[in-house]
Amino acid sequence: MPPLPDQSAPLDVARLMEPKGFSSVAKNVGIKDATLDFTVVFSEVPSAAAAVFTRNTFCGHPVTVGREHIRDGQLQAVVVNSKNANVATGPAGLEATREICRLVAGALAIRSADVFPCSTGVIGRPLPLDRIRAGIEGIRGELRPGELGRFATAILTTDTRPKLRRVPIGDAVLVGCCKGSGMIEPDMATMLAFFFTDARIEARALDHALRTAVDRSFNMVSVDSDTSTSDTAVILANGLAGDVPVDAFTAALTAMAEELAQEVARDGEGATKLLEVSVSGAPDVSVARRVAKQVVNSPLVKSAIWGGDPNWGRVAMAIGKAFDLPLNPDRVVIRFGGVAVYAGRDLGPEPLEALRTYLQGDTVAIGVDLALGQAHARVWGCDLSPEYVRLNGEYTT
Amino acid sequence: MPPLPDQSAPLDVARLMEPKGFSSVAKNVGIKDATLDFTVVFSEVPSAAAAVFTRNTFCGHPVTVGREHIRDGQLQAVVVNSKNANVATGPAGLEATREICRLVAGALAIRSADVFPCSTGVIGRPLPLDRIRAGIEGIRGELRPGELGRFATAILTTDTRPKLRRVPIGDAVLVGCCKGSGMIEPDMATMLAFFFTDARIEARALDHALRTAVDRSFNMVSVDSDTSTSDTAVILANGLAGDVPVDAFTAALTAMAEELAQEVARDGEGATKLLEVSVSGAPDVSVARRVAKQVVNSPLVKSAIWGGDPNWGRVAMAIGKAFDLPLNPDRVVIRFGGVAVYAGRDLGPEPLEALRTYLQGDTVAIGVDLALGQAHARVWGCDLSPEYVRLNGEYTT
């Protein structure tokens, strides 16, 4: 009988729960300060791959290059720097991203088109390419298996903690991690999210699984209604653990992405509470999503929840911002934590007192029934605190 | 030669500059605290009138009744209470608004359908109708000319100051005032804005003039992207000063509305700076407006301006949120106070230093050229401060 893994050695445990054939390196190259700011993940064999990107038209240069490199559905490495987004930096910025891919490819002896680049951080500052160039030297010898936890740390910006999940699927393992704390209302994609698996899934099915997962998770989260220029989600499946049922894989990927999305909302800049808004009774899903996002993005709703103020009338206001709906306010129901506070009319002081107590918790669930149809949707966000403003009043200073 | 008006008697001066035939009363009826919370303006003759309203579908009962009463283009009185919006209060709330109109009409011996009701304040609390009923008794004897300044004060909620303008047009006078500080992104209408004039203009022309003015002023201001349930702008023209040129009147009304709209932005909840965003080079005006609002509403842009952080990259991000535009970031120009900080690429550290100094002022003008066409638009907003969150975290508590 083989010895049990030593519980006091977290790296070994992590290695057991990481997909075969992936190794990584995370280091500081001095982009802004002394924290981890540069990281590479490498698969020993070419992987099937899929990615989705921000719809922001002022997108980062890594998004432009990433779109090119994902086209053939194959990747072998991911390179990420934090602390600088390489956005709005002109032609020199685009060339910097291409050079980083070439240098990483050279160091790992793989195709440049199989290197997927991401950058996250401040917009509009030249990338310190010389420091990154120096950092790339010697990465081949620095790659280690079982260290995706360091990868998850190196990609952070204003996040207060890494966001990492591992799950077995048959003989394979799926690892996912993401970063994102402000400038978060992804659309068709996410902040930065990475998934690595040794399951064997061909690129087309992988793309479908990723889009399904992202649509129900990262596209349903909003910290501040600002859609980043760099949002990217990418998945690599190197096949070393063999086939797995695609349905089970998609379900696991979606569940993991939903957990990571909630982590992003809960770790929103300055956030003290997770906000979950469920809208039912909508004429179709797109309306349900739109109304839910109106509520989760309302600065007045978010401020009231930060302050524990039972001001549910602001939810009514936020619902009404869908100007084109044939809404009948006399049929709408608004609930907090399952308790109705409005059902066609105000329900008096009693639910207000219950609401005041409920708002002391660290999760606030708002339910809205529009009484217009059968469709529903759920989104996640967070409260708006003075700390959010303070953080973002001095981000570059 | 008649004596000059006594400059030390502001009420008399105000009376000289108020339209003939209007009188008003403003008092406290105890809706929430001891400040002015109830006010009526009366015209001694029926007035041509026009109004525009919020597009919020969860609209207040006074909006519903106001829409009915404006239909024939005639009004003779306006009744406003602050501290309670009478929204989401069910059928009893609707009946309360109708009764207020009936009682005011009875006291003034005019038609109920010529009374225009407005309420502003918290959503979802029953209106204390008994107190308002008591307040209406005896208003006939309390009406005074020349006291629209008190009217402008009685309509306030979280505003820090009244917003009132007077301008002569030929022999006539136009007075305008408004309130609004939070839940401010009017659409097709405004917070509450009132215009009174003794010019003679028929209702149809008045409606056109009001829509023109509102479209260029209140519809171009956003404090926090939240569209109120009660937004209303109304104008009464009682004709006692005779005809005026409609073009001159529309121009004066528009200029006054623009000034009042800027006052609203500058007095935004917790605001320390007025923010003006001009977008040029758009393919059409609606795109120019949309992009300008994306910038003026971005919590990240607003927080940076509050903190004096020269983080212009967030303006780039906010521009890019118009997902459907064929934007070429290499041709976009971003200016602060006329100085370019981005022109297809970052322009280095020099403009950053100038920007840091510029952001110390109390007005921040952002210019964006999209290089896509000839259309332009200008909107006003304000910075986002920790004080906004604090104010709105304890509004009802």
Side-chain angles (χ1 to χ4, degrees):
Chain A
M1 182 176 154
L4 286 172
D6 178 358
Q7 294 299 321
S8 69
L11 276 182
D12 283 349
V13 174
R15 199 170 307 175
L16 285 176
M17 272 295 283
E18 284 199 9
K20 299 176 191 69
F22 287 97
S23 54
S24 63
V25 49
K27 61 200 323 193
N28 173 262
V29 302
I31 293 178
K32 182 182 175 188
D33 52 29
T35 60
L36 296 179
D37 55 16
F38 182 78
T39 180
V40 173
V41 180
F42 172 62
S43 167
E44 62 186 49
V45 295
S47 299
V52 289
F53 300 92
T54 184
R55 292 176 69 203
N56 192 301
T57 57
F58 220 116
C59 71
H61 297 303
V63 170
T64 303
V65 175
R67 285 194 172 109
E68 295 169 9
H69 288 193
I70 201 64
R71 211 167 288 151
D72 64 357
Q74 177 177 299
L75 294 175
Q76 196 163 355
V78 169
V79 53
V80 190
N81 74 273
S82 53
K83 316 295 190 286
N84 185 314
N86 195 17
V87 177
T89 48
L94 181 60
E95 184 44 41
T97 292
R98 293 199 195 284
E99 180 168 347
I100 289 168
C101 290
R102 277 196 302 269
L103 292 172
V104 169
L108 302 177
I110 61 176
R111 292 170 56 216
S112 178
D114 285 349
V115 178
F116 190 84
C118 292
S119 298
T120 179
V122 66
I123 295 173
R125 303 280 189 282
L127 197 63
L129 184 56
D130 48 346
R131 296 180 196 177
I132 292 177
R133 216 182 264 131
I136 294 173
E137 278 176 31
I139 53 167
R140 178 90 213 202
E142 295 163 348
L143 291 169
R144 299 279 179 280
E147 296 202 354
L148 288 176
R150 279 173 62 85
F151 171 80
T153 300
I155 64 176
L156 304 181
T157 51
T158 53
D159 309 60
T160 67
R161 49 186 181 266
K163 300 161 182 75
L164 181 70
R165 292 288 187 281
R166 298 179 172 92
V167 67
I169 308 168
D171 292 336
V173 170
L174 171 65
V175 170
C177 70
C178 70
K179 62 80 52 178
S181 186
M183 203 177 286
I184 299 283
E185 183 175 358
D187 199 303
M188 302 301 287
T190 175
M191 43 269 108
L192 296 186
F194 301 91
F195 298 94
F196 304 101
T197 182
D198 47 9
R200 184 187 297 138
I201 303 185
E202 55 98 19
R204 202 187 176 87
L206 200 61
D207 184 70
H208 182 260
L210 181 65
R211 286 176 196 278
T212 302
V214 165
D215 197 44
R216 297 193 195 162
S217 57
F218 300 112
N219 279 356
M220 290 291 104
V221 67
S222 179
V223 166
D224 54 10
S225 80
D226 274 340
T227 305
S228 162
T229 51
S230 305
D231 294 335
T232 301
V234 62
I235 184 165
L236 278 70
N238 68 14
L240 293 179
D243 292 322
V244 297
V246 172
D247 286 355
F249 183 83
T250 302
L253 181 64
T254 302
M256 180 179 282
E258 283 187 352
E259 275 188 43
L260 289 170
Q262 288 176 54
E263 277 284 290
V264 167
R266 199 182 278 282
D267 195 27
E269 284 176 346
T272 70
K273 294 177 207 291
L274 176 69
L275 182 52
E276 179 179 292
V277 179
S278 303
V279 170
S280 60
D284 58 57
V285 170
S286 76
V287 165
R289 288 180 173 203
R290 184 151 55 97
V291 172
K293 283 208 172 174
Q294 284 166 200
V295 175
V296 92
N297 278 330
S298 159
L300 289 169
V301 170
K302 288 157 67 87
S303 298
I305 284 168
W306 169 76
D309 184 359
N311 196 347
W312 60 264
R314 290 176 175 168
V315 175
M317 174 280 301
I319 295 167
K321 288 164 71 181
F323 302 141
D324 54 335
L325 287 192
L327 192 75
N328 181 351
D330 294 346
R331 298 191 57 204
V332 170
V333 179
I334 299 172
R335 292 181 179 86
F336 275 76
V339 176
V341 292
Y342 175 88
R345 58 182 183 85
D346 65 284
L347 298 175
E350 254 180 65
L352 280 193
E353 279 317 300
L355 178 51
R356 201 183 298 272
T357 307
Y358 177 69
L359 291 176
Q360 301 306 310
D362 69 353
T363 301
V364 173
I366 300 178
V368 171
D369 191 288
L370 297 175
L372 291 172
Q374 302 299 322
H376 55 91
R378 187 173 52 165
V379 306
W380 296 283
C382 59
D383 56 342
L384 173 62
S385 71
E387 191 56 22
Y388 173 92
V389 182
R390 269 190 293 272
L391 268 170
N392 285 299
E394 52 182 37
Y395 185 62
T396 69
T397 52
Chain B
M1 182 178 155
L4 287 173
D6 178 359
Q7 295 298 322
S8 67
L11 277 183
D12 284 348
V13 174
R15 197 169 309 175
L16 284 176
M17 273 293 283
E18 285 199 9
K20 297 176 192 67
F22 287 97
S23 54
S24 63
V25 51
K27 62 200 321 190
N28 172 262
V29 302
I31 293 179
K32 180 181 178 189
D33 53 27
T35 60
L36 296 179
D37 56 18
F38 182 78
T39 180
V40 173
V41 179
F42 172 63
S43 168
E44 62 186 47
V45 295
S47 298
V52 289
F53 300 91
T54 184
R55 292 175 69 204
N56 193 301
T57 56
F58 221 117
C59 70
H61 298 303
V63 170
T64 302
V65 176
R67 285 194 173 109
E68 296 169 8
H69 289 192
I70 201 64
R71 211 167 287 152
D72 65 355
Q74 177 177 299
L75 294 174
Q76 196 163 356
V78 168
V79 54
V80 189
N81 75 272
S82 53
K83 316 294 190 284
N84 185 314
N86 195 15
V87 177
T89 48
L94 181 61
E95 184 44 40
T97 292
R98 294 199 196 284
E99 179 168 348
I100 289 167
C101 290
R102 278 195 302 269
L103 292 172
V104 169
L108 302 177
I110 61 176
R111 293 170 56 217
S112 179
D114 285 351
V115 178
F116 189 85
C118 293
S119 296
T120 178
V122 66
I123 295 173
R125 302 281 188 282
L127 198 63
L129 184 56
D130 48 345
R131 296 180 197 178
I132 292 176
R133 218 182 260 132
I136 294 172
E137 280 177 30
I139 51 167
R140 179 89 213 204
E142 295 165 348
L143 291 168
R144 300 278 180 277
E147 295 202 353
L148 288 177
R150 277 173 63 85
F151 171 80
T153 300
I155 64 176
L156 304 182
T157 51
T158 52
D159 310 60
T160 66
R161 49 187 181 265
K163 301 162 180 76
L164 182 70
R165 293 287 188 281
R166 297 179 172 91
V167 67
I169 308 168
D171 291 336
V173 170
L174 171 66
V175 170
C177 70
C178 70
K179 63 78 53 179
S181 186
M183 204 178 285
I184 298 284
E185 183 174 359
D187 199 301
M188 301 302 286
T190 173
M191 41 271 108
L192 296 185
F194 302 91
F195 298 94
F196 304 101
T197 181
D198 47 10
R200 183 186 298 136
I201 302 184
E202 55 98 19
R204 202 188 177 86
L206 201 61
D207 185 71
H208 182 260
L210 181 64
R211 287 176 194 276
T212 301
V214 165
D215 196 45
R216 297 195 194 161
S217 56
F218 300 114
N219 280 354
M220 291 290 101
V221 66
S222 178
V223 165
D224 54 12
S225 79
D226 275 340
T227 304
S228 163
T229 51
S230 305
D231 295 335
T232 301
V234 61
I235 183 165
L236 277 70
N238 69 11
L240 293 179
D243 293 323
V244 296
V246 172
D247 286 355
F249 183 82
T250 303
L253 181 65
T254 302
M256 180 179 282
E258 284 187 354
E259 275 187 43
L260 289 170
Q262 289 176 54
E263 277 284 290
V264 167
R266 197 182 279 282
D267 195 25
E269 284 177 346
T272 70
K273 295 177 207 288
L274 176 69
L275 181 52
E276 180 180 292
V277 178
S278 303
V279 169
S280 59
D284 59 58
V285 170
S286 76
V287 166
R289 287 180 173 202
R290 184 152 55 98
V291 172
K293 284 206 170 175
Q294 285 166 198
V295 175
V296 92
N297 278 330
S298 160
L300 289 170
V301 170
K302 288 158 66 87
S303 298
I305 285 168
W306 169 76
D309 184 0
N311 196 346
W312 59 264
R314 291 177 175 168
V315 175
M317 175 279 302
I319 295 167
K321 287 165 70 180
F323 302 141
D324 54 334
L325 286 191
L327 192 75
N328 181 350
D330 294 346
R331 296 189 59 202
V332 170
V333 179
I334 300 172
R335 292 183 179 85
F336 276 76
V339 176
V341 291
Y342 174 87
R345 58 183 183 84
D346 64 286
L347 298 175
E350 256 181 63
L352 280 192
E353 279 316 301
L355 178 51
R356 202 181 297 270
T357 306
Y358 177 69
L359 291 176
Q360 301 306 309
D362 70 353
T363 301
V364 173
I366 300 177
V368 170
D369 192 288
L370 297 176
L372 290 172
Q374 301 299 321
H376 56 91
R378 188 173 51 165
V379 305
W380 296 282
C382 59
D383 56 342
L384 172 62
S385 72
E387 191 55 22
Y388 174 92
V389 183
R390 269 190 293 271
L391 267 170
N392 285 300
E394 52 183 37
Y395 184 63
T396 69
T397 50

